[in-house]
Amino acid sequence: MALMGGFARIGNKAITILVNEDERGSDIDPQEAQKTLEIVEANLRKAEGKRQVIEANLALRRARTRVEASNTIS
């Protein structure tokens, strides 16, 4: 399972995880995820300015998470 964004709350011997988006690894095409990762890595190398770098890093984290989730299933 790939979880994007959110946070976890720990208390009273329980963990609550709230996420903005989730995706099952079995629903992710590993080849598409890898291709997207390569594109995002290239975009990060070309990023200029603080905002572009931040956005590119967020996209990179998402792309890596999707690749890892898809590889766990295959």
Side-chain angles (χ1 to χ4, degrees), residues 22-51:
D22 65 28
E23 194 171 7
R24 291 181 182 205
S26 59
D27 294 340
I28 301 171
D29 176 358
Q31 292 173 333
E32 180 270 329
Q34 183 62 43
K35 183 176 180 179
T36 300
L37 177 59
E38 293 166 6
I39 291 168
V40 168
E41 288 172 336
N43 288 343
L44 177 58
R45 288 191 295 271
K46 293 186 284 186
E48 296 179 3
K50 191 173 185 176
R51 182 182 177 116

Side-chain angles (χ1 to χ4, degrees), residues 9-33:
R9 187 179 100 188
I10 303 169
N12 297 329
K13 298 182 182 179
I15 299 174
T16 303
I17 301 173
L18 302 172
V19 298
N20 295 333
E21 183 181 349
D22 65 28
E23 194 171 7
R24 291 181 182 205
S26 59
D27 294 340
I28 301 171
D29 176 358
Q31 292 173 333
E32 180 270 329

